[in-house]
Amino acid sequence: MLEAFRTERLNFPIFKEKIQLSSCSQSAMHVSVKEAVNDYFRTWEVNGMDWKGWMQACENARLSFAKMINADKKEVAIVSSVSHAASSIATSLIKNNRKKILVTELDFPTIGHVWQSHRDSFDVTFIKGKENDWIDKEDYNTMLDENTLLVSTSHVSYYDGYKQHLKEIADVVHHKGAYLFVDAYQSFGQCEIDVKKMNIDMLATGLQKYALGIPGIAFLYIKNEIAQSLTPKITGWFGQRNPFLFDIRNTDYADSTVRFDTGTFPMVNGFAAEAALKVLNKFSMDEVEKRLQYLSGIAIEEADKRGLQVKSPRDLERKGSNTAILVNNASEAESRLLKQNIILSARNDVLRIAPHFYNTEEEVITAVEAVADFTTNL
Ligand SMILES: Cc1ncc(COP(=O)(O)O)c(C=O)c1O
C-alpha cells in the first residue's frame, strides 16, 4: 500500500474495530467530514446564522468537483440527488423530431424510473448487453438512429462493477447526433473522469459512494454549449442570474449549467462534500484506480480459490472496485457478516466487496473467507 494511503487510513476511526468494504453503497467516515458537519452546527449555534459561510462551503465543493472532472465551475449545478439531476435533464430537453431515449439495463433503476415517467414526451427504449448484460459499443450502435435524442448510461455498474469505456461510447453516440448522459455515482472517487477528454455531454454523481461524503447533495455537469440552450423546468431562485433581485415576475436564467441550481443549497451536506473532496484531492485518481485494481485482483483470486462465483468482469480494466459474488440469500449474508464486524453490501443475488484506497489486502481476504463460510454453512 502506498505510504500516503496507509497514513490517511488512520483518519477513518471505523478500522479500529471493523472491516468496511462497502464503498459502492457508503464509504467509510473520515474524521474531517464529521468535523465539517459539526462546524456547520457550531457556526449556527454561535453565530445564529452564517449564510455567506454556508453558501461558500457549497461553492467550494462545486469548484472542487468541477476541477476533478476537468470542467469549468459554471458547468456544474448543485442538486440533491442523481435522480434530481436526471429529472432536471429530462424536463429541460428541447422537444424536436428526435423522440428516442436509450437507457441501458445496467443503469441504476432510478434512471429508468425517471425516463419512464416521461413516456408522454419520449420513446424510452432499453439497451441490453449480450453477455451478462455487459453492453459494448456495438450494442449502442445497433440501437442508435436518427431519432435518438439522448443515451443514458452508467460509467460503472452498481450491480457488478462493470466499467465502460466512455470515450468510445461518446464517439458512437455523437456520430448519430445524440447526447450522452452519464451516471457516474459508482465511479466518481475511484477512478479518473475527464469530461473533456471523454467528450461527455452531461454527467451526474452524488458523494456517498466512493467520494467519501454523505447523501443529500449531488452535482450535475452539462457541457457549456448545451446548457446554454436548455431551459430548466425544475428550477428556483438560485438558478437565476441574480437570486437576490427578488423579482417575482421575470426569469433570467444564470449562465451555463448554474441555471440548473434550484432552491437554497443543502448546506450541511455541502460542508461534508467540501471536506470529503479535500481528502480525495490528496491523491491522484490514477493511483487510487491502480490500488483498487490490485485489490480487485485479490478479491477475484480469493473467491476463485474458494469456489465462489464471481459475477464481475475478470478483466481489471473493465471493472471498478466492486467485486460481486453470487450468494443465495445475499441480504441475510450481509446481516450475518455485519455481526462479524464485516460491512459488505448486498444487491439482489450478489454480495458486493467494494474496497477504497484505505482498505488492506488482509481485509479483502478476510471478507472473501467470511462469504465462503456463509455459503458453506447455509
Ligand atoms: C449508479 C447509481 N445511480 C444512482 C443511484 C441513486 O442515486 P440518488 O439516490 O442520488 O438518486 C445509486 C444509488 O445507489 C447508484 O448506485
Side-chain angles (χ1 to χ4, degrees):
M1 189 196 268
L2 277 182
E3 197 48 43
F5 292 157
R6 203 189 307 273
T7 308
E8 203 60 55
R9 176 181 160 89
L10 302 173
N11 291 316
F12 294 87
I14 197 162
F15 297 118
K16 288 190 195 118
E17 288 176 11
K18 296 186 178 162
I19 295 178
Q20 181 167 4
L21 290 158
S22 61
S23 302
C24 55
S25 181
Q26 171 70 72
S27 44
M29 192 207 71
H30 190 283
V31 283
S32 70
V33 176
K34 182 178 167 191
E35 262 313 294
V37 172
N38 286 342
D39 271 349
Y40 174 84
F41 290 107
R42 247 193 305 272
T43 55
W44 184 16
E45 186 174 17
V46 175
N47 303 330
M49 61 180 179
D50 180 15
W51 279 84
K52 259 199 178 151
W54 295 341
M55 296 287 287
Q56 194 54 51
C58 297
E59 289 297 348
N60 293 345
R62 183 192 331 244
L63 178 62
S64 281
F65 173 74
K67 281 189 180 159
M68 288 172 83
I69 62 165
N70 192 22
D72 194 284
K73 185 172 180 254
K74 69 175 196 251
E75 292 178 302
V76 173
I78 297 174
V79 292
S80 61
S81 66
V82 168
S83 310
H84 174 171
S87 297
S88 288
I89 292 169
T91 48
S92 68
L93 287 173
I94 296 158
K95 314 260 178 347
N96 54 26
N97 54 351
R98 288 179 179 251
K99 293 256 179 300
K100 191 162 150 184
I101 303 290
L102 292 176
V103 180
T104 70
E105 287 203 352
L106 58 81
D107 274 310
F108 191 78
T110 199
I111 299 295
H113 303 152
V114 167
W115 287 110
Q116 292 197 75
S117 74
H118 293 281
R119 278 196 191 277
D120 52 349
S121 307
F122 302 115
D123 302 325
V124 181
T125 306
F126 285 90
I127 312 182
K128 194 174 168 53
K130 288 185 265 314
E131 185 207 349
N132 292 321
D133 295 338
W134 298 337
I135 300 164
D136 61 29
K137 66 176 178 187
E138 267 324 299
D139 298 316
Y140 287 98
N141 206 22
T142 311
M143 299 292 285
L144 274 152
D145 58 30
E146 65 286 352
N147 294 318
T148 311
L149 179 57
L150 179 142
V151 174
S152 171
T153 196
S154 282
H155 190 184
V156 170
S157 155
Y158 75 98
Y159 172 68
D160 59 12
Y162 173 61
K163 186 197 270 178
Q164 302 198 85
H165 195 303
L166 291 179
K167 174 69 172 68
E168 273 183 5
I169 297 168
D171 287 348
V172 174
V173 170
H174 292 150
H175 186 66
K176 294 279 170 71
Y179 294 130
L180 178 64
F181 166 67
V182 175
D183 174 351
Y185 212 161
Q186 289 290 336
S187 61
F188 178 66
Q190 69 151 311
C191 63
E192 199 146 359
I193 298 175
D194 183 323
V195 288
K196 297 281 151 37
K197 266 198 220 150
M198 292 167 163
N199 207 2
I200 295 166
D201 301 308
M202 302 158 182
L203 176 141
T205 184
L207 278 293
Q208 192 178 15
K209 319 289 181 201
Y210 296 87
L212 310 179
I214 60 173
I217 188 166
F219 296 112
L220 168 62
Y221 159 81
I222 305 178
K223 196 186 274 179
N224 179 51
E225 306 84 276
I226 300 170
Q228 291 289 33
S229 69
L230 301 178
T231 309
K233 303 287 188 300
I234 296 174
T235 188
W237 57 322
F238 283 99
Q240 299 295 304
R241 197 174 301 281
N242 182 359
F244 301 101
L245 273 183
F246 298 107
D247 178 358
I248 194 170
R249 287 181 181 268
N250 298 297
T251 50
D252 178 19
Y253 287 101
D255 211 22
S256 201
T257 310
V258 174
R259 64 182 53 196
F260 282 85
D261 286 0
T262 57
T264 307
F265 295 152
M267 289 159 170
V268 185
N269 318 66
F271 270 64
E274 182 190 16
L277 296 184
K278 239 185 226 162
V279 176
L280 274 184
N281 270 316
K282 292 183 185 177
F283 308 107
S284 93
M285 276 301 127
D286 195 39
E287 275 167 3
V288 171
E289 188 173 9
K290 280 199 195 108
R291 171 79 190 153
L292 295 179
Q293 283 178 350
Y294 170 69
L295 293 177
S296 270
I298 292 180
I300 293 173
E301 197 182 303
E302 293 295 320
D304 285 349
K305 266 196 227 163
R306 293 168 175 80
L308 294 168
Q309 209 177 324
V310 174
K311 271 293 247 177
S312 303
R314 285 169 177 277
D315 176 356
L316 300 181
E317 296 287 328
R318 301 312 301 266
K319 127 180 230 311
S321 147
N322 165 19
T323 300
I325 298 177
L326 262 184
V327 178
N328 278 334
N329 299 330
S331 69
E332 196 201 323
E334 179 188 301
S335 313
R336 238 356 139 100
L337 265 59
L338 201 52
K339 291 192 185 130
Q340 295 168 233
N341 285 343
I342 301 172
I343 304 160
L344 304 185
S345 169
R347 276 283 178 271
N348 294 341
D349 53 355
V350 295
L351 255 189
R352 302 176 297 170
I353 299 178
H356 213 325
F357 66 80
Y358 44 63
N359 288 113
T360 63
E361 290 89 324
E362 293 75 22
E363 285 174 329
V364 172
I365 295 168
T366 305
V368 177
E369 268 168 9
V371 176
D373 282 351
F374 175 83
T375 55
T376 48
N377 296 325
L378 258 185

